[in-house]
Amino acid sequence: MLQRRSAEHWAGRLYMRSISLRITRVLSTVTAITPNGLTYTMMCTGILAGAGLLIAGLAGAIVGALLIQLYLLLDCVDGEVARWRRQTSLTGVYLDRVGHYMSEAALLTGLGLRGADLLHHSGGATHWEWAFLGTLAALGAILIKSETDLVDVARARSGMTAVADSASVPRSAGVAKARRAASLLKFHRLVGAVEASLLILAAGIADAVHGGLTFTRLAVVVLAAIAMLQTVLHLLSIVLSSRLR
């Protein structure tokens, strides 16, 4: 299973697969839990990570980061258990995708509410502009994933096969160069659950040192800007490639 590299997250390759395989071995032999049951648990864990950000101070950022690590572990384990027991299914693939949508949206929405000081930990008013920006970031994260998934939907409805990796290269040389540059910078990954949780944790540590929510709010602005920009760039990359042909 460690040889599976397609679409593997860097944290999975770096350390999580080594942990998850041990958990999978135990779950597959001594419990009756199903792969879909693990996926539902993953989904709930991701949503709770967003809710955990509402805890005051550094503790909230730590809870969010730890729950996202558990979310990543479960994301590895559910597929491993499915393959171990030969229980892979279309439903499992669907639930896994929905789980990613919901968890990333919940985390970014939770960040916005944390920046808005929803529970008045830092003052007597809720600053809804930060909640709005967090919601924009969450919407962008969902749209980016949707843009990718809808390629397969469009091709399937047109009676076409799944898209080949080579088709992702834009037909325009200028757009292809811009896409390669963006890929090297990897700034788009910051709206992913693991990367966003680490950025939120770093902001929480900075806020604990300096006081207030300045760095958390800066993280909200950065993630909202990246999400909105990436939504547009990713859409252009798809339309200008051969994926829809």
Side-chain angles (χ1 to χ4, degrees), residues 44-67:
C44 292
T45 302
I47 294 171
L48 285 174
L53 294 179
L54 298 181
I55 298 172
L58 180 57
I62 292 173
V63 168
L66 289 177
L67 284 173

PDB file of all heavy atoms in Angstrom, residues 44-67:
ATOM      1  N   CYS A  44     -16.943  13.640  10.073  1.00  0.00           N
ATOM      2  CA  CYS A  44     -17.295  14.288  11.343  1.00  0.00           C
ATOM      3  C   CYS A  44     -16.069  14.920  12.000  1.00  0.00           C
ATOM      4  O   CYS A  44     -16.157  16.014  12.567  1.00  0.00           O
ATOM      5  CB  CYS A  44     -17.926  13.265  12.294  1.00  0.00           C
ATOM      6  SG  CYS A  44     -19.547  12.660  11.771  1.00  0.00           S
ATOM      7  N   THR A  45     -14.923  14.251  11.894  1.00  0.00           N
ATOM      8  CA  THR A  45     -13.697  14.781  12.485  1.00  0.00           C
ATOM      9  C   THR A  45     -13.288  16.085  11.820  1.00  0.00           C
ATOM     10  O   THR A  45     -12.883  17.044  12.487  1.00  0.00           O
ATOM     11  CB  THR A  45     -12.561  13.749  12.355  1.00  0.00           C
ATOM     12  OG1 THR A  45     -12.956  12.537  12.998  1.00  0.00           O
ATOM     13  CG2 THR A  45     -11.288  14.263  12.988  1.00  0.00           C
ATOM     14  N   GLY A  46     -13.395  16.138  10.484  1.00  0.00           N
ATOM     15  CA  GLY A  46     -13.063  17.361   9.770  1.00  0.00           C
ATOM     16  C   GLY A  46     -13.971  18.517  10.144  1.00  0.00           C
ATOM     17  O   GLY A  46     -13.517  19.654  10.314  1.00  0.00           O
ATOM     18  N   ILE A  47     -15.250  18.231  10.285  1.00  0.00           N
ATOM     19  CA  ILE A  47     -16.210  19.277  10.675  1.00  0.00           C
ATOM     20  C   ILE A  47     -15.926  19.756  12.099  1.00  0.00           C
ATOM     21  O   ILE A  47     -15.977  20.956  12.388  1.00  0.00           O
ATOM     22  CB  ILE A  47     -17.647  18.749  10.535  1.00  0.00           C
ATOM     23  CG1 ILE A  47     -17.971  18.491   9.062  1.00  0.00           C
ATOM     24  CG2 ILE A  47     -18.648  19.731  11.138  1.00  0.00           C
ATOM     25  CD1 ILE A  47     -19.268  17.763   8.823  1.00  0.00           C
ATOM     26  N   LEU A  48     -15.613  18.813  12.986  1.00  0.00           N
ATOM     27  CA  LEU A  48     -15.292  19.184  14.365  1.00  0.00           C
ATOM     28  C   LEU A  48     -14.026  20.035  14.438  1.00  0.00           C
ATOM     29  O   LEU A  48     -13.882  20.869  15.336  1.00  0.00           O
ATOM     30  CB  LEU A  48     -15.124  17.929  15.214  1.00  0.00           C
ATOM     31  CG  LEU A  48     -16.421  17.197  15.589  1.00  0.00           C
ATOM     32  CD1 LEU A  48     -16.100  15.890  16.303  1.00  0.00           C
ATOM     33  CD2 LEU A  48     -17.308  18.082  16.459  1.00  0.00           C
ATOM     34  N   ALA A  49     -13.101  19.842  13.492  1.00  0.00           N
ATOM     35  CA  ALA A  49     -11.891  20.665  13.478  1.00  0.00           C
ATOM     36  C   ALA A  49     -12.247  22.127  13.264  1.00  0.00           C
ATOM     37  O   ALA A  49     -11.673  23.019  13.899  1.00  0.00           O
ATOM     38  CB  ALA A  49     -10.941  20.185  12.377  1.00  0.00           C
ATOM     39  N   GLY A  50     -13.212  22.378  12.371  1.00  0.00           N
ATOM     40  CA  GLY A  50     -13.664  23.750  12.166  1.00  0.00           C
ATOM     41  C   GLY A  50     -14.324  24.309  13.399  1.00  0.00           C
ATOM     42  O   GLY A  50     -14.076  25.459  13.793  1.00  0.00           O
ATOM     43  N   ALA A  51     -15.148  23.496  14.066  1.00  0.00           N
ATOM     44  CA  ALA A  51     -15.806  23.938  15.298  1.00  0.00           C
ATOM     45  C   ALA A  51     -14.794  24.164  16.408  1.00  0.00           C
ATOM     46  O   ALA A  51     -14.946  25.080  17.225  1.00  0.00           O
ATOM     47  CB  ALA A  51     -16.844  22.904  15.728  1.00  0.00           C
ATOM     48  N   GLY A  52     -13.733  23.361  16.430  1.00  0.00           N
ATOM     49  CA  GLY A  52     -12.721  23.485  17.471  1.00  0.00           C
ATOM     50  C   GLY A  52     -11.991  24.814  17.435  1.00  0.00           C
ATOM     51  O   GLY A  52     -11.474  25.271  18.467  1.00  0.00           O
ATOM     52  N   LEU A  53     -11.963  25.456  16.275  1.00  0.00           N
ATOM     53  CA  LEU A  53     -11.291  26.754  16.164  1.00  0.00           C
ATOM     54  C   LEU A  53     -11.998  27.839  16.970  1.00  0.00           C
ATOM     55  O   LEU A  53     -11.417  28.903  17.210  1.00  0.00           O
ATOM     56  CB  LEU A  53     -11.206  27.175  14.694  1.00  0.00           C
ATOM     57  CG  LEU A  53     -10.321  26.302  13.798  1.00  0.00           C
ATOM     58  CD1 LEU A  53     -10.354  26.817  12.372  1.00  0.00           C
ATOM     59  CD2 LEU A  53      -8.888  26.258  14.323  1.00  0.00           C
ATOM     60  N   LEU A  54     -13.223  27.584  17.383  1.00  0.00           N
ATOM     61  CA  LEU A  54     -13.954  28.576  18.182  1.00  0.00           C
ATOM     62  C   LEU A  54     -13.521  28.565  19.649  1.00  0.00           C
ATOM     63  O   LEU A  54     -13.913  29.450  20.400  1.00  0.00           O
ATOM     64  CB  LEU A  54     -15.458  28.316  18.081  1.00  0.00           C
ATOM     65  CG  LEU A  54     -16.057  28.430  16.670  1.00  0.00           C
ATOM     66  CD1 LEU A  54     -17.552  28.181  16.706  1.00  0.00           C
ATOM     67  CD2 LEU A  54     -15.752  29.781  16.053  1.00  0.00           C
ATOM     68  N   ILE A  55     -12.723  27.577  20.042  1.00  0.00           N
ATOM     69  CA  ILE A  55     -12.168  27.572  21.406  1.00  0.00           C
ATOM     70  C   ILE A  55     -11.192  28.736  21.529  1.00  0.00           C
ATOM     71  O   ILE A  55     -10.406  29.009  20.620  1.00  0.00           O
ATOM     72  CB  ILE A  55     -11.470  26.241  21.702  1.00  0.00           C
ATOM     73  CG1 ILE A  55     -12.477  25.088  21.618  1.00  0.00           C
ATOM     74  CG2 ILE A  55     -10.796  26.262  23.069  1.00  0.00           C
ATOM     75  CD1 ILE A  55     -11.845  23.712  21.713  1.00  0.00           C
ATOM     76  N   ALA A  56     -11.238  29.398  22.640  1.00  0.00           N
ATOM     77  CA  ALA A  56     -10.424  30.611  22.822  1.00  0.00           C
ATOM     78  C   ALA A  56      -8.938  30.326  22.801  1.00  0.00           C
ATOM     79  O   ALA A  56      -8.482  29.273  23.257  1.00  0.00           O
ATOM     80  CB  ALA A  56     -10.799  31.289  24.142  1.00  0.00           C
ATOM     81  N   GLY A  57      -8.180  31.273  22.268  1.00  0.00           N
ATOM     82  CA  GLY A  57      -6.735  31.267  22.355  1.00  0.00           C
ATOM     83  C   GLY A  57      -6.049  30.180  21.551  1.00  0.00           C
ATOM     84  O   GLY A  57      -6.614  29.586  20.630  1.00  0.00           O
ATOM     85  N   LEU A  58      -4.820  29.898  21.943  1.00  0.00           N
ATOM     86  CA  LEU A  58      -3.996  28.917  21.243  1.00  0.00           C
ATOM     87  C   LEU A  58      -4.616  27.525  21.288  1.00  0.00           C
ATOM     88  O   LEU A  58      -4.425  26.728  20.360  1.00  0.00           O
ATOM     89  CB  LEU A  58      -2.591  28.906  21.861  1.00  0.00           C
ATOM     90  CG  LEU A  58      -1.573  27.946  21.254  1.00  0.00           C
ATOM     91  CD1 LEU A  58      -1.389  28.188  19.768  1.00  0.00           C
ATOM     92  CD2 LEU A  58      -0.245  28.059  21.999  1.00  0.00           C
ATOM     93  N   ALA A  59      -5.357  27.232  22.348  1.00  0.00           N
ATOM     94  CA  ALA A  59      -5.965  25.901  22.487  1.00  0.00           C
ATOM     95  C   ALA A  59      -6.843  25.568  21.290  1.00  0.00           C
ATOM     96  O   ALA A  59      -6.830  24.435  20.798  1.00  0.00           O
ATOM     97  CB  ALA A  59      -6.783  25.833  23.779  1.00  0.00           C
ATOM     98  N   GLY A  60      -7.599  26.544  20.799  1.00  0.00           N
ATOM     99  CA  GLY A  60      -8.464  26.309  19.650  1.00  0.00           C
ATOM    100  C   GLY A  60      -7.681  25.943  18.407  1.00  0.00           C
ATOM    101  O   GLY A  60      -8.062  25.018  17.662  1.00  0.00           O
ATOM    102  N   ALA A  61      -6.588  26.645  18.152  1.00  0.00           N
ATOM    103  CA  ALA A  61      -5.751  26.356  16.986  1.00  0.00           C
ATOM    104  C   ALA A  61      -5.114  24.976  17.100  1.00  0.00           C
ATOM    105  O   ALA A  61      -4.987  24.251  16.106  1.00  0.00           O
ATOM    106  CB  ALA A  61      -4.684  27.431  16.833  1.00  0.00           C
ATOM    107  N   ILE A  62      -4.713  24.601  18.331  1.00  0.00           N
ATOM    108  CA  ILE A  62      -4.118  23.281  18.540  1.00  0.00           C
ATOM    109  C   ILE A  62      -5.153  22.181  18.324  1.00  0.00           C
ATOM    110  O   ILE A  62      -4.875  21.163  17.664  1.00  0.00           O
ATOM    111  CB  ILE A  62      -3.520  23.186  19.960  1.00  0.00           C
ATOM    112  CG1 ILE A  62      -2.312  24.115  20.090  1.00  0.00           C
ATOM    113  CG2 ILE A  62      -3.124  21.745  20.284  1.00  0.00           C
ATOM    114  CD1 ILE A  62      -1.757  24.207  21.493  1.00  0.00           C
ATOM    115  N   VAL A  63      -6.347  22.369  18.863  1.00  0.00           N
ATOM    116  CA  VAL A  63      -7.424  21.383  18.676  1.00  0.00           C
ATOM    117  C   VAL A  63      -7.723  21.210  17.194  1.00  0.00           C
ATOM    118  O   VAL A  63      -7.854  20.080  16.692  1.00  0.00           O
ATOM    119  CB  VAL A  63      -8.692  21.809  19.444  1.00  0.00           C
ATOM    120  CG1 VAL A  63      -9.889  20.968  19.016  1.00  0.00           C
ATOM    121  CG2 VAL A  63      -8.468  21.669  20.941  1.00  0.00           C
ATOM    122  N   GLY A  64      -7.837  22.315  16.468  1.00  0.00           N
ATOM    123  CA  GLY A  64      -8.115  22.239  15.037  1.00  0.00           C
ATOM    124  C   GLY A  64      -7.037  21.474  14.292  1.00  0.00           C
ATOM    125  O   GLY A  64      -7.332  20.600  13.457  1.00  0.00           O
ATOM    126  N   ALA A  65      -5.770  21.756  14.580  1.00  0.00           N
ATOM    127  CA  ALA A  65      -4.662  21.085  13.897  1.00  0.00           C
ATOM    128  C   ALA A  65      -4.627  19.591  14.215  1.00  0.00           C
ATOM    129  O   ALA A  65      -4.403  18.758  13.330  1.00  0.00           O
ATOM    130  CB  ALA A  65      -3.341  21.744  14.277  1.00  0.00           C
ATOM    131  N   LEU A  66      -4.853  19.234  15.481  1.00  0.00           N
ATOM    132  CA  LEU A  66      -4.833  17.823  15.874  1.00  0.00           C
ATOM    133  C   LEU A  66      -5.984  17.046  15.233  1.00  0.00           C
ATOM    134  O   LEU A  66      -5.803  15.904  14.787  1.00  0.00           O
ATOM    135  CB  LEU A  66      -4.897  17.698  17.399  1.00  0.00           C
ATOM    136  CG  LEU A  66      -3.639  18.134  18.158  1.00  0.00           C
ATOM    137  CD1 LEU A  66      -3.866  18.034  19.662  1.00  0.00           C
ATOM    138  CD2 LEU A  66      -2.426  17.295  17.744  1.00  0.00           C
ATOM    139  N   LEU A  67      -7.151  17.660  15.184  1.00  0.00           N
ATOM    140  CA  LEU A  67      -8.295  16.989  14.569  1.00  0.00           C
ATOM    141  C   LEU A  67      -8.094  16.807  13.065  1.00  0.00           C
ATOM    142  O   LEU A  67      -8.533  15.800  12.493  1.00  0.00           O
ATOM    143  CB  LEU A  67      -9.584  17.765  14.846  1.00  0.00           C
ATOM    144  CG  LEU A  67     -10.135  17.614  16.269  1.00  0.00           C
ATOM    145  CD1 LEU A  67     -11.312  18.562  16.501  1.00  0.00           C
ATOM    146  CD2 LEU A  67     -10.570  16.170  16.532  1.00  0.00           C
TER     147      LEU A  67
END
